[in-house]
Amino acid sequence: MARVKYLSRSESTNQVIFDRLERERKMPTANIFLALTQTPDLLDGFLTYANALRSSPLSPRLRELAILTVGHLTNSRYEVAHHQSHGLKAGLNKAQLDAVPQFETSPHFTSQEKAVMLFAKESTLKVEVAQQTWATVAEFLSEPECIALVLVVAWYNSGVRIMAGLDIELEDGYH
């Protein structure tokens, strides 16, 4: 059970945030968003930032590989479950989804994909990223894409900590 109540529209005094959730997010609304409805101003900013990352210069495929790497490294079942479906939509296949935890030795990923995932790994586990890791990823990505990668990895490291801190439950449809 989550550490905070998931508000429903009828329990909230802020209907605007529910309008936004219904307009911008998959229904039924994910528990992470319902948990944050008690702080509508923070949720509003949260959604704006998340939407900006989705339209960033980093390709959806590379973005999802970075997110899944963060999810696996932090043992975030919620993050992995939610982003496996996003990964499939971005063109990943089941074998690749299964191979994310072993990406460094897996034949299912290109050198570019492995560079992105290694960046996500180092940033998640060590915070600081080795110059060689940056140089390798920069061989494949433009500077705006590199910046987007840094922001995606940082954002989803924040996300897994929010979900763990609030003990957000994975929705039934993801079990």
Side-chain angles (χ1 to χ4, degrees):
M1 180 171 213
R3 295 182 174 129
V4 297
K5 184 176 183 177
Y6 304 140
L7 290 185
S8 66
R9 179 183 274 279
S10 63
E11 296 169 310
S12 177
T13 58
N14 186 321
Q15 297 300 298
V16 173
I17 199 66
F18 280 90
D19 292 342
R20 183 172 184 189
L21 284 171
E22 291 170 10
R23 190 175 54 250
E24 296 179 8
R25 295 292 166 165
K26 188 168 62 176
M27 299 303 292
T29 303
N31 288 341
I32 180 72
F33 302 121
L34 294 176
L36 299 179
T37 56
Q38 293 190 53
T39 54
D41 291 341
L42 293 176
L43 177 54
D44 189 61
F46 186 93
L47 291 169
T48 298
Y49 194 82
N51 289 345
L53 290 177
R54 284 182 175 191
S55 62
S56 76
L58 190 62
S59 78
R61 182 184 181 93
L62 294 176
R63 181 185 68 229
E64 293 305 320
L65 286 172
I67 294 167
L68 288 165
T69 301
V70 170
H72 280 289
L73 290 169
T74 58
N75 298 313
S76 176
R77 207 169 130 233
Y78 192 98
E79 194 70 52
V80 170
H82 276 263
H83 282 275
Q84 284 186 330
S85 63
H86 293 295
L88 290 172
K89 289 176 192 166
L92 299 173
N93 61 44
K94 176 81 168 88
Q96 290 171 316
L97 293 177
D98 292 343
V100 168
Q102 305 85 31
F103 75 89
E104 291 170 280
T105 57
S106 172
H108 296 293
F109 301 108
T110 66
S111 297
Q112 178 191 43
E113 292 166 341
K114 287 182 178 183
V116 165
M117 297 165 83
L118 182 60
F119 177 89
K121 178 181 179 180
E122 283 190 24
S123 183
T124 298
L125 297 179
K126 300 177 182 177
V127 180
E128 292 190 25
V129 174
Q131 185 56 40
Q132 182 58 50
T133 302
W134 178 263
T136 301
V137 82
E139 288 177 20
F140 297 105
L141 303 179
S142 68
E143 282 199 9
E145 289 170 320
C146 286
I147 293 167
L149 175 62
V150 170
L151 294 174
V152 164
V153 170
W155 176 253
Y156 282 91
N157 268 280
S158 168
V160 297
R161 283 155 178 81
I162 292 167
M163 290 177 268
L166 296 177
D167 201 15
I168 304 295
E169 301 153 312
L170 188 58
E171 299 84 0
D172 288 340
Y174 289 96
H175 290 281

PDB file of all heavy atoms in Angstrom, residues 69-89:
ATOM      1  N   THR A  69      17.417   1.107 -18.482  1.00  0.00           N
ATOM      2  CA  THR A  69      18.674   0.858 -17.775  1.00  0.00           C
ATOM      3  C   THR A  69      18.587   1.398 -16.355  1.00  0.00           C
ATOM      4  O   THR A  69      18.946   0.716 -15.391  1.00  0.00           O
ATOM      5  CB  THR A  69      19.847   1.495 -18.550  1.00  0.00           C
ATOM      6  OG1 THR A  69      19.890   0.928 -19.864  1.00  0.00           O
ATOM      7  CG2 THR A  69      21.168   1.250 -17.838  1.00  0.00           C
ATOM      8  N   VAL A  70      18.102   2.615 -16.209  1.00  0.00           N
ATOM      9  CA  VAL A  70      17.919   3.198 -14.871  1.00  0.00           C
ATOM     10  C   VAL A  70      16.978   2.319 -14.040  1.00  0.00           C
ATOM     11  O   VAL A  70      17.259   2.001 -12.883  1.00  0.00           O
ATOM     12  CB  VAL A  70      17.365   4.641 -14.954  1.00  0.00           C
ATOM     13  CG1 VAL A  70      16.948   5.157 -13.580  1.00  0.00           C
ATOM     14  CG2 VAL A  70      18.386   5.566 -15.606  1.00  0.00           C
ATOM     15  N   GLY A  71      15.882   1.906 -14.633  1.00  0.00           N
ATOM     16  CA  GLY A  71      14.899   1.092 -13.910  1.00  0.00           C
ATOM     17  C   GLY A  71      15.478  -0.224 -13.413  1.00  0.00           C
ATOM     18  O   GLY A  71      15.273  -0.612 -12.264  1.00  0.00           O
ATOM     19  N   HIS A  72      16.228  -0.905 -14.275  1.00  0.00           N
ATOM     20  CA  HIS A  72      16.828  -2.186 -13.864  1.00  0.00           C
ATOM     21  C   HIS A  72      17.893  -1.979 -12.789  1.00  0.00           C
ATOM     22  O   HIS A  72      17.943  -2.731 -11.810  1.00  0.00           O
ATOM     23  CB  HIS A  72      17.424  -2.909 -15.070  1.00  0.00           C
ATOM     24  CG  HIS A  72      16.400  -3.635 -15.895  1.00  0.00           C
ATOM     25  ND1 HIS A  72      15.777  -4.778 -15.460  1.00  0.00           N
ATOM     26  CD2 HIS A  72      15.874  -3.357 -17.105  1.00  0.00           C
ATOM     27  CE1 HIS A  72      14.915  -5.187 -16.378  1.00  0.00           C
ATOM     28  NE2 HIS A  72      14.950  -4.339 -17.397  1.00  0.00           N
ATOM     29  N   LEU A  73      18.729  -0.977 -12.963  1.00  0.00           N
ATOM     30  CA  LEU A  73      19.815  -0.756 -12.001  1.00  0.00           C
ATOM     31  C   LEU A  73      19.305  -0.362 -10.618  1.00  0.00           C
ATOM     32  O   LEU A  73      19.955  -0.626  -9.618  1.00  0.00           O
ATOM     33  CB  LEU A  73      20.771   0.324 -12.520  1.00  0.00           C
ATOM     34  CG  LEU A  73      21.618  -0.094 -13.717  1.00  0.00           C
ATOM     35  CD1 LEU A  73      22.320   1.114 -14.309  1.00  0.00           C
ATOM     36  CD2 LEU A  73      22.631  -1.157 -13.302  1.00  0.00           C
ATOM     37  N   THR A  74      18.152   0.265 -10.575  1.00  0.00           N
ATOM     38  CA  THR A  74      17.597   0.704  -9.288  1.00  0.00           C
ATOM     39  C   THR A  74      16.524  -0.253  -8.773  1.00  0.00           C
ATOM     40  O   THR A  74      15.860   0.038  -7.776  1.00  0.00           O
ATOM     41  CB  THR A  74      17.015   2.120  -9.413  1.00  0.00           C
ATOM     42  OG1 THR A  74      16.016   2.116 -10.438  1.00  0.00           O
ATOM     43  CG2 THR A  74      18.095   3.146  -9.721  1.00  0.00           C
ATOM     44  N   ASN A  75      16.372  -1.382  -9.482  1.00  0.00           N
ATOM     45  CA  ASN A  75      15.359  -2.385  -9.098  1.00  0.00           C
ATOM     46  C   ASN A  75      13.960  -1.793  -9.000  1.00  0.00           C
ATOM     47  O   ASN A  75      13.181  -2.146  -8.120  1.00  0.00           O
ATOM     48  CB  ASN A  75      15.740  -3.068  -7.779  1.00  0.00           C
ATOM     49  CG  ASN A  75      17.031  -3.819  -7.891  1.00  0.00           C
ATOM     50  OD1 ASN A  75      17.229  -4.563  -8.848  1.00  0.00           O
ATOM     51  ND2 ASN A  75      17.926  -3.613  -6.942  1.00  0.00           N
ATOM     52  N   SER A  76      13.657  -0.879  -9.913  1.00  0.00           N
ATOM     53  CA  SER A  76      12.342  -0.247  -9.926  1.00  0.00           C
ATOM     54  C   SER A  76      11.402  -1.045 -10.840  1.00  0.00           C
ATOM     55  O   SER A  76      11.363  -0.837 -12.054  1.00  0.00           O
ATOM     56  CB  SER A  76      12.422   1.203 -10.413  1.00  0.00           C
ATOM     57  OG  SER A  76      11.113   1.745 -10.492  1.00  0.00           O
ATOM     58  N   ARG A  77      10.684  -1.943 -10.236  1.00  0.00           N
ATOM     59  CA  ARG A  77       9.736  -2.764 -10.993  1.00  0.00           C
ATOM     60  C   ARG A  77       8.713  -1.883 -11.705  1.00  0.00           C
ATOM     61  O   ARG A  77       8.302  -2.154 -12.832  1.00  0.00           O
ATOM     62  CB  ARG A  77       9.047  -3.716 -10.009  1.00  0.00           C
ATOM     63  CG  ARG A  77       8.563  -4.974 -10.628  1.00  0.00           C
ATOM     64  CD  ARG A  77       8.136  -5.981  -9.576  1.00  0.00           C
ATOM     65  NE  ARG A  77       6.822  -6.449  -9.950  1.00  0.00           N
ATOM     66  CZ  ARG A  77       5.754  -6.451  -9.171  1.00  0.00           C
ATOM     67  NH1 ARG A  77       5.840  -6.049  -7.934  1.00  0.00           N
ATOM     68  NH2 ARG A  77       4.601  -6.870  -9.606  1.00  0.00           N
ATOM     69  N   TYR A  78       8.297  -0.811 -11.032  1.00  0.00           N
ATOM     70  CA  TYR A  78       7.314   0.117 -11.591  1.00  0.00           C
ATOM     71  C   TYR A  78       7.866   0.758 -12.879  1.00  0.00           C
ATOM     72  O   TYR A  78       7.198   0.776 -13.910  1.00  0.00           O
ATOM     73  CB  TYR A  78       6.978   1.193 -10.554  1.00  0.00           C
ATOM     74  CG  TYR A  78       5.779   2.039 -10.900  1.00  0.00           C
ATOM     75  CD1 TYR A  78       4.538   1.763 -10.356  1.00  0.00           C
ATOM     76  CD2 TYR A  78       5.883   3.125 -11.756  1.00  0.00           C
ATOM     77  CE1 TYR A  78       3.428   2.538 -10.659  1.00  0.00           C
ATOM     78  CE2 TYR A  78       4.780   3.903 -12.067  1.00  0.00           C
ATOM     79  CZ  TYR A  78       3.558   3.613 -11.511  1.00  0.00           C
ATOM     80  OH  TYR A  78       2.467   4.375 -11.819  1.00  0.00           O
ATOM     81  N   GLU A  79       9.081   1.274 -12.793  1.00  0.00           N
ATOM     82  CA  GLU A  79       9.685   1.951 -13.944  1.00  0.00           C
ATOM     83  C   GLU A  79       9.858   0.990 -15.117  1.00  0.00           C
ATOM     84  O   GLU A  79       9.530   1.321 -16.256  1.00  0.00           O
ATOM     85  CB  GLU A  79      11.040   2.529 -13.540  1.00  0.00           C
ATOM     86  CG  GLU A  79      11.593   3.508 -14.527  1.00  0.00           C
ATOM     87  CD  GLU A  79      10.780   4.780 -14.522  1.00  0.00           C
ATOM     88  OE1 GLU A  79      10.557   5.352 -13.456  1.00  0.00           O
ATOM     89  OE2 GLU A  79      10.358   5.199 -15.604  1.00  0.00           O
ATOM     90  N   VAL A  80      10.368  -0.194 -14.828  1.00  0.00           N
ATOM     91  CA  VAL A  80      10.606  -1.170 -15.887  1.00  0.00           C
ATOM     92  C   VAL A  80       9.277  -1.588 -16.520  1.00  0.00           C
ATOM     93  O   VAL A  80       9.151  -1.604 -17.746  1.00  0.00           O
ATOM     94  CB  VAL A  80      11.389  -2.388 -15.345  1.00  0.00           C
ATOM     95  CG1 VAL A  80      11.427  -3.505 -16.385  1.00  0.00           C
ATOM     96  CG2 VAL A  80      12.792  -1.975 -14.937  1.00  0.00           C
ATOM     97  N   ALA A  81       8.290  -1.890 -15.707  1.00  0.00           N
ATOM     98  CA  ALA A  81       7.005  -2.346 -16.249  1.00  0.00           C
ATOM     99  C   ALA A  81       6.377  -1.273 -17.146  1.00  0.00           C
ATOM    100  O   ALA A  81       5.903  -1.565 -18.244  1.00  0.00           O
ATOM    101  CB  ALA A  81       6.057  -2.706 -15.112  1.00  0.00           C
ATOM    102  N   HIS A  82       6.383  -0.037 -16.696  1.00  0.00           N
ATOM    103  CA  HIS A  82       5.777   1.034 -17.489  1.00  0.00           C
ATOM    104  C   HIS A  82       6.557   1.311 -18.766  1.00  0.00           C
ATOM    105  O   HIS A  82       5.972   1.579 -19.814  1.00  0.00           O
ATOM    106  CB  HIS A  82       5.648   2.316 -16.661  1.00  0.00           C
ATOM    107  CG  HIS A  82       4.411   2.324 -15.823  1.00  0.00           C
ATOM    108  ND1 HIS A  82       3.262   2.946 -16.216  1.00  0.00           N
ATOM    109  CD2 HIS A  82       4.136   1.751 -14.630  1.00  0.00           C
ATOM    110  CE1 HIS A  82       2.326   2.778 -15.292  1.00  0.00           C
ATOM    111  NE2 HIS A  82       2.833   2.054 -14.310  1.00  0.00           N
ATOM    112  N   HIS A  83       7.867   1.229 -18.698  1.00  0.00           N
ATOM    113  CA  HIS A  83       8.648   1.617 -19.868  1.00  0.00           C
ATOM    114  C   HIS A  83       8.931   0.474 -20.828  1.00  0.00           C
ATOM    115  O   HIS A  83       9.402   0.722 -21.946  1.00  0.00           O
ATOM    116  CB  HIS A  83       9.895   2.392 -19.445  1.00  0.00           C
ATOM    117  CG  HIS A  83       9.518   3.798 -19.108  1.00  0.00           C
ATOM    118  ND1 HIS A  83       9.410   4.785 -20.054  1.00  0.00           N
ATOM    119  CD2 HIS A  83       9.119   4.344 -17.941  1.00  0.00           C
ATOM    120  CE1 HIS A  83       8.994   5.892 -19.481  1.00  0.00           C
ATOM    121  NE2 HIS A  83       8.801   5.656 -18.190  1.00  0.00           N
ATOM    122  N   GLN A  84       8.620  -0.749 -20.466  1.00  0.00           N
ATOM    123  CA  GLN A  84       8.730  -1.817 -21.459  1.00  0.00           C
ATOM    124  C   GLN A  84       7.710  -1.589 -22.580  1.00  0.00           C
ATOM    125  O   GLN A  84       8.020  -1.775 -23.749  1.00  0.00           O
ATOM    126  CB  GLN A  84       8.544  -3.185 -20.806  1.00  0.00           C
ATOM    127  CG  GLN A  84       9.785  -3.608 -20.042  1.00  0.00           C
ATOM    128  CD  GLN A  84       9.697  -5.001 -19.497  1.00  0.00           C
ATOM    129  OE1 GLN A  84       8.627  -5.494 -19.186  1.00  0.00           O
ATOM    130  NE2 GLN A  84      10.843  -5.635 -19.355  1.00  0.00           N
ATOM    131  N   SER A  85       6.517  -1.169 -22.234  1.00  0.00           N
ATOM    132  CA  SER A  85       5.533  -0.905 -23.289  1.00  0.00           C
ATOM    133  C   SER A  85       5.952   0.302 -24.129  1.00  0.00           C
ATOM    134  O   SER A  85       5.769   0.302 -25.348  1.00  0.00           O
ATOM    135  CB  SER A  85       4.134  -0.707 -22.690  1.00  0.00           C
ATOM    136  OG  SER A  85       4.099   0.421 -21.847  1.00  0.00           O
ATOM    137  N   HIS A  86       6.525   1.302 -23.496  1.00  0.00           N
ATOM    138  CA  HIS A  86       7.032   2.452 -24.268  1.00  0.00           C
ATOM    139  C   HIS A  86       8.186   2.007 -25.178  1.00  0.00           C
ATOM    140  O   HIS A  86       8.312   2.484 -26.307  1.00  0.00           O
ATOM    141  CB  HIS A  86       7.515   3.563 -23.332  1.00  0.00           C
ATOM    142  CG  HIS A  86       6.432   4.219 -22.545  1.00  0.00           C
ATOM    143  ND1 HIS A  86       5.420   4.956 -23.109  1.00  0.00           N
ATOM    144  CD2 HIS A  86       6.196   4.230 -21.216  1.00  0.00           C
ATOM    145  CE1 HIS A  86       4.618   5.405 -22.170  1.00  0.00           C
ATOM    146  NE2 HIS A  86       5.060   4.964 -21.005  1.00  0.00           N
ATOM    147  N   GLY A  87       9.014   1.108 -24.675  1.00  0.00           N
ATOM    148  CA  GLY A  87      10.121   0.596 -25.469  1.00  0.00           C
ATOM    149  C   GLY A  87       9.639  -0.142 -26.710  1.00  0.00           C
ATOM    150  O   GLY A  87      10.187   0.028 -27.798  1.00  0.00           O
ATOM    151  N   LEU A  88       8.607  -0.939 -26.540  1.00  0.00           N
ATOM    152  CA  LEU A  88       8.039  -1.652 -27.701  1.00  0.00           C
ATOM    153  C   LEU A  88       7.509  -0.659 -28.725  1.00  0.00           C
ATOM    154  O   LEU A  88       7.716  -0.815 -29.930  1.00  0.00           O
ATOM    155  CB  LEU A  88       6.936  -2.606 -27.240  1.00  0.00           C
ATOM    156  CG  LEU A  88       7.399  -3.832 -26.444  1.00  0.00           C
ATOM    157  CD1 LEU A  88       6.203  -4.584 -25.871  1.00  0.00           C
ATOM    158  CD2 LEU A  88       8.254  -4.761 -27.305  1.00  0.00           C
ATOM    159  N   LYS A  89       6.832   0.377 -28.253  1.00  0.00           N
ATOM    160  CA  LYS A  89       6.318   1.406 -29.167  1.00  0.00           C
ATOM    161  C   LYS A  89       7.453   2.140 -29.875  1.00  0.00           C
ATOM    162  O   LYS A  89       7.281   2.621 -30.998  1.00  0.00           O
ATOM    163  CB  LYS A  89       5.458   2.419 -28.403  1.00  0.00           C
ATOM    164  CG  LYS A  89       4.130   1.861 -27.943  1.00  0.00           C
ATOM    165  CD  LYS A  89       3.376   2.890 -27.123  1.00  0.00           C
ATOM    166  CE  LYS A  89       2.191   2.257 -26.424  1.00  0.00           C
ATOM    167  NZ  LYS A  89       1.626   3.128 -25.375  1.00  0.00           N
TER     168      LYS A  89
END
